[in-house]
Amino acid sequence: MCTAPYKLSQTPQFKRAFAKFARKHPELRSKTEETLIALTNDPFAPSLRLHNLTGQLAGKQAVSVTYAYRIVLCVEIVDREIVLHNIGTHDEVYG
């Protein structure tokens, strides 16, 4: 059974963080695009390392772009939507 892909939505915070991230790390453009495409196909794919967050970010999840960089998001199963909240280093997105 084939299911429809997930839809990506961006918060204003993510748009600002992504623009800054893209300027600072042009070498990661391809890897970031691959990660976002993988999210739309299956956010639970093991390669994304989706995990729940705690503390101030409770209720959100994160996936890895690389070992050092993360995307903070919310996966909404009912609407098959992924709301992107932030992107950056571990300290930038969790701190």
Side-chain angles (χ1 to χ4, degrees), residues 75-86:
V75 177
E76 298 178 15
I77 303 298
V78 175
D79 295 329
R80 295 191 63 82
E81 181 176 17
I82 298 170
V83 180
L84 304 173
H85 289 275
N86 204 352

Side-chain angles (χ1 to χ4, degrees), residues 3-8 33-45 48 80 82:
T3 58
Y6 285 77
K7 174 184 158 198
L8 295 180
E33 288 174 1
E34 289 172 17
T35 301
L36 293 173
I37 290 168
L39 271 172
T40 64
N41 292 324
D42 180 8
F44 305 103
L48 292 171
R80 295 191 63 82
I82 298 170

Side-chain angles (χ1 to χ4, degrees), residues 8 10 30 43 51 63 66 68 78:
L8 295 180
Q10 301 176 4
S30 177
H51 57 280
V63 295
T66 67
V78 175

